Amino acid sequence: MDVAASAACLSRAFLTSWRCYPKLDLNPDTLCCKRGRTNLRCSVDSILRNHSGIGLKILDINLWHEKSCIPYIDSWLQFAVTPGIEEITLTLCEEYNFPCSVLSDGARNSVRSLDLTKCTFRPMPELGTLRSLTTLKLWSVRITGDELENLLSNSLAMEHLCLQDCEEIIILKIPSVLQQFSYLEVYGCWNVQAVENKAPNLTRFLLSGKDEKLSLGEASQMMKAFTLDRTDAVYYGRAELPSMMPNLESLDLSSFSEVHTAPMLPTKFLNLKHLAIQICGRTYSSPSYDYFSLVSFLDACPSMETWYLNVYQDRSEYESVFEASLHFRQLPKHLKLKSVEIVGFKSAKILVELTCCIVKSAASLEQLKLNTFDGLRRCSWGNNSDCRDEMCRPIRKAVLEEASRALVAITRYIEDIVPATAKLTVLEPCPCPRCRSTHKDDGSVDEMSAKL
């Protein structure tokens, strides 16, 4: 390969084609710059200065760990952002003032995607209309709500907006002129107090933050997929969303803390097919969160086909199924539910009752997966298949003990009621010897299982 590369570098045709290459992905890995920051800066500088600018469509500059290159970015963008460019990605490790002037003239009419990380971005009205811009992604970018609204108003082809950790935005407004706008993602913008949408065709929305006020206009009736990550997301999803977004087909609710349990209400999601609920933090209900209240979603979603439920909370206290009598409450038959997965399954009485109720109600159940752990990788992704390195994730003794209790509860109360036409899959904690040996003391897990 070295000989072939050396020969190619002597080729005039190769040199000409390289100088018109349509995609430049400039980062330490692709440039193999492992001998210092100066080498990286010189490599990027040489590539951009020798590129003709003709035919360049995609520019990706990733300097996440390279502070020393910040002073040279202005000149690099001036070289690279030329008429005809379509995608610009700039990933930095410290704040940088993005020069909006590079988007003027011809580039303003051709750029389709703009992805900025760790920048100050102040688009002024003088920038004019970005006729082709369809995707805008801003991560840790300093931009106000008014500046963003002005930019969106001049980007009539906008379809996809992603905002993450943009702290200067207080009110997020999506103007009505965005007729093609369909996807909005707002993640970790903790100062956002309200989201006001007037774009008529918004169908997918991801919102992660605090208790923002939502004003989605007529688009809420067209919403097909919604993801909500906030306090009391499960309660809000059941109490407010059916009337606000009645035509949802996919709903993902994630909550680190739930204050209220899901209410039983007459409102329904008639078209919802996929539901995911994650309650993975603290709950403030007394004495503990009533997981059985989640059957309210079973009643509210007659078309639901898949239900993913993550209830992993390793510090919560619940009444054990082995210390109480079960009350199997009956619900009307659900005709569409085919697949159910519960992550963090425990021997808690209320969770066993919920699972039994779901199984007995789901007339079309094809798959039931019960994960007795937290659903994450047990060992680091860098491990060998035999987990013999030093990156195994330790498992506390109490967690292993509860997993054993959960296995016994599945065998005793659930296994026999799963219909023959459905497949039951039970996942245990990592079998890796190193993980288990971290807290292995006297074989108490096996003894406890035998006792139960």
Side-chain angles (χ1 to χ4, degrees):
M1 290 299 295
D2 289 342
V3 173
S6 299
C9 288
L10 298 177
S11 165
R12 182 179 300 274
F14 175 83
L15 181 61
T16 303
S17 66
W18 179 85
R19 286 179 173 172
C20 298
Y21 195 68
K23 179 180 179 179
L24 295 182
D25 187 355
L26 308 177
N27 64 72
D29 292 330
T30 58
L31 299 179
C32 301
C33 294
K34 299 180 180 180
R35 292 180 293 174
R37 297 172 179 173
T38 302
N39 187 40
L40 173 64
R41 177 181 60 78
C42 293
S43 296
V44 175
D45 198 63
S46 176
I47 290 171
L48 292 178
R49 287 182 180 275
N50 284 283
H51 196 284
S52 65
I54 300 173
L56 183 58
K57 302 293 184 183
I58 301 174
L59 175 67
D60 187 342
I61 301 178
N62 188 332
L63 304 174
W64 183 250
H65 298 292
E66 303 295 336
K67 296 182 180 180
S68 62
C69 293
I70 299 294
Y72 302 91
I73 296 177
D74 277 0
S75 61
W76 292 347
L77 292 177
Q78 292 292 341
F79 278 117
V81 180
T82 56
I85 193 158
E86 296 179 358
E87 299 181 20
I88 303 172
T89 300
L90 183 61
T91 305
L92 306 176
C93 58
E94 66 178 28
E95 190 169 319
Y96 163 74
N97 288 311
F98 184 85
C100 294
S101 58
V102 300
L103 297 176
S104 59
D105 300 328
R108 179 179 59 195
N109 296 326
S110 63
V111 63
R112 297 188 297 105
S113 174
L114 183 61
D115 188 340
L116 303 178
T117 299
K118 210 70 176 179
C119 295
T120 295
F121 185 41
R122 306 293 187 192
M124 303 301 291
E126 295 78 33
L127 180 60
T129 301
L130 300 177
R131 298 176 182 176
S132 302
L133 187 64
T134 60
T135 302
L136 178 63
K137 298 180 180 180
L138 305 178
W139 183 16
S140 296
V141 170
R142 296 176 64 89
I143 184 173
T144 67
D146 290 340
E147 290 169 337
L148 179 59
E149 182 183 9
N150 179 70
L151 176 64
L152 295 176
S153 298
N154 286 285
S155 306
L156 303 184
M158 182 68 66
E159 299 175 2
H160 183 142
L161 174 63
C162 177
L163 304 174
Q164 183 169 343
D165 298 327
C166 297
E167 299 181 352
E168 291 190 5
I169 300 176
I170 308 299
I171 306 295
L172 174 60
K173 297 181 179 181
I174 310 297
S176 59
V177 293
L178 301 185
Q179 298 293 310
Q180 307 300 319
F181 190 75
S182 61
Y183 184 93
L184 173 61
E185 181 175 337
V186 183
Y187 188 87
C189 299
W190 303 111
N191 293 325
V192 171
Q193 299 177 1
V195 178
E196 300 177 4
N197 172 70
K198 294 182 179 179
N201 295 308
L202 177 64
T203 57
R204 300 180 63 86
F205 185 15
L206 186 154
L207 177 62
S208 175
K210 297 189 294 185
D211 300 337
E212 300 89 346
K213 295 181 179 179
L214 297 179
S215 176
L216 302 179
E218 295 181 0
S220 63
Q221 301 295 311
M222 300 180 59
M223 196 74 64
K224 300 298 182 182
F226 183 53
T227 298
L228 181 63
D229 183 354
R230 50 166 271 190
T231 301
D232 248 0
V234 177
Y235 173 81
Y236 184 85
R238 183 63 187 95
E240 304 292 338
L241 290 184
S243 57
M244 183 183 298
M245 304 177 185
N247 295 309
L248 281 178
E249 296 179 0
S250 177
L251 176 61
D252 190 336
L253 302 172
S254 181
S255 174
F256 188 75
S257 61
E258 284 290 312
V259 180
H260 307 95
T261 55
M264 185 66 77
L265 297 171
T267 52
K268 297 181 183 296
F269 294 106
L270 295 178
N271 301 318
L272 192 72
K273 295 182 179 180
H274 309 288
L275 174 64
I277 295 178
Q278 301 183 67
I279 308 175
C280 301
R282 299 179 60 187
T283 56
Y284 296 92
S285 303
S286 179
S288 57
Y289 189 78
D290 180 13
Y291 286 122
F292 196 84
S293 67
L294 298 179
V295 298
S296 175
F297 285 92
L298 198 64
D299 175 68
C301 308
S303 300
M304 182 166 57
E305 297 178 1
T306 61
W307 190 0
Y308 172 86
L309 180 59
N310 188 329
V311 294
Y312 183 72
Q313 296 172 293
D314 63 352
R315 294 186 178 181
S316 301
E317 297 294 333
Y318 292 93
E319 182 181 13
S320 172
V321 69
F322 305 112
E323 300 171 357
S325 58
L326 290 179
H327 300 286
F328 296 113
R329 287 164 274 192
Q330 296 293 326
L331 287 179
K333 289 293 183 181
H334 193 289
L335 303 178
K336 298 293 184 67
L337 187 60
K338 298 178 180 180
S339 176
V340 177
E341 179 177 356
I342 301 179
V343 175
F345 184 86
K346 305 177 184 64
S347 62
K349 171 180 176 288
I350 196 71
L351 197 51
V352 173
E353 288 182 341
L354 171 65
T355 306
C356 290
C357 181
I358 293 174
V359 172
K360 290 184 175 183
S361 302
S364 302
L365 188 65
E366 297 177 357
Q367 177 175 302
L368 174 64
K369 182 182 291 188
L370 301 177
N371 191 334
T372 62
F373 204 53
D374 61 2
L376 301 175
R377 292 179 183 266
R378 277 47 161 183
C379 297
S380 167
W381 62 269
N383 283 348
N384 298 320
S385 58
D386 55 6
C387 300
R388 287 183 300 180
D389 64 12
E390 300 179 357
M391 303 179 70
C392 292
R393 179 183 179 186
I395 303 176
R396 295 187 299 106
K397 176 182 175 181
V399 174
L400 287 173
E401 290 178 344
E402 175 51 42
S404 291
R405 284 193 290 268
L407 291 174
V408 175
I410 293 170
T411 302
R412 184 176 299 181
Y413 300 103
I414 298 173
E415 194 173 78
D416 290 340
I417 67 173
V418 177
T421 55
K423 178 183 178 181
L424 172 62
T425 303
V426 180
L427 300 180
E428 305 179 38
C430 179
C432 166
R434 184 183 293 271
C435 287
R436 289 181 177 255
S437 65
T438 303
H439 295 281
K440 184 176 181 181
D441 44 17
D442 57 359
S444 58
V445 173
D446 293 334
E447 293 176 6
M448 179 208 57
S449 298
K451 182 178 178 181
L452 289 175

